[in-house]
Amino acid sequence: MVDNDCIFCKIAGGEIPSDTVYEDDLFRVILDLNPATKGHALILPKQHYANIYEIDEDTLQKLIVLAKKVACAMKDTLHCDGLNIVQNNGLAAGQTVFHFHLHIIPRYEEDGQDLNWIPGKSDPAEQKKLAGMIGAAIK
């Protein structure tokens, strides 16, 4: 399924030009127009899924294999010092385009980016309760 109002569907389908790194029947990999660092790419499924909750497992498996290939190509060609793989779901998590996509962000020493979070404190009893709740809900 494709959403005719979705900009990433239009890019993935070739209706809107992009700097395409890779393409196959399922995905288009493009360079981000607003890159965090040099070489920042997005993996876009050609089918429309709003987020991780909607995408099927078979597509996700193929996506992570492709992510590794893109990451290795970046390491080999860009000589980056590290790499972040980021995927946001929902406004609270920073998702701005509601078409599932995976960011592959090459990292360079002193690139000025900070994708870290502030570690919190955990309560052992709460952690045990949360682990049980989440574990029981896994299907």
Side-chain angles (χ1 to χ4, degrees):
M1 176 179 74
V2 173
D3 180 341
N4 293 327
D5 295 325
C6 173
I7 190 163
F8 278 5
C9 281
K10 291 177 182 179
I11 294 169
E15 291 179 51
I16 296 176
S18 64
D19 291 311
T20 299
V21 172
Y22 172 86
E23 181 178 12
D24 62 24
D25 292 343
L26 296 175
F27 306 103
R28 183 181 294 256
V29 182
I30 64 168
L31 293 180
D32 195 306
L33 285 177
N34 300 296
T37 64
K38 179 180 69 175
H40 178 170
L42 303 175
I43 300 178
L44 307 175
K46 290 187 174 180
Q47 294 296 309
H48 183 80
Y49 308 97
N51 49 46
I52 197 167
Y53 313 114
E54 293 184 3
I55 193 167
D56 63 275
E57 291 180 6
D58 184 54
T59 302
L60 275 175
Q61 289 173 353
K62 292 173 180 163
L63 182 130
I64 201 65
V65 170
L66 177 56
K68 180 182 178 181
K69 290 177 183 179
V70 173
C72 290
M74 287 177 169
K75 182 176 167 60
D76 290 345
T77 60
L78 302 175
H79 309 291
C80 50
D81 300 308
L83 186 123
N84 291 110
I85 296 177
V86 178
Q87 202 281 311
N88 303 318
N89 295 280
L91 287 172
Q95 186 178 11
T96 58
V97 178
F98 292 87
H99 179 110
F100 180 95
H101 56 287
L102 193 70
H103 293 261
I104 311 285
I105 306 170
R107 297 302 304 272
Y108 307 92
E109 294 294 330
E110 300 182 30
D111 62 19
Q113 292 296 334
D114 185 7
L115 299 179
N116 297 313
W117 54 85
I118 300 168
K121 300 280 183 201
S122 65
D123 172 83
E126 182 181 28
Q127 293 289 87
K128 187 173 192 75
K129 180 181 173 185
L130 290 172
M133 289 170 42
I134 296 166
I138 295 173
K139 299 173 183 157

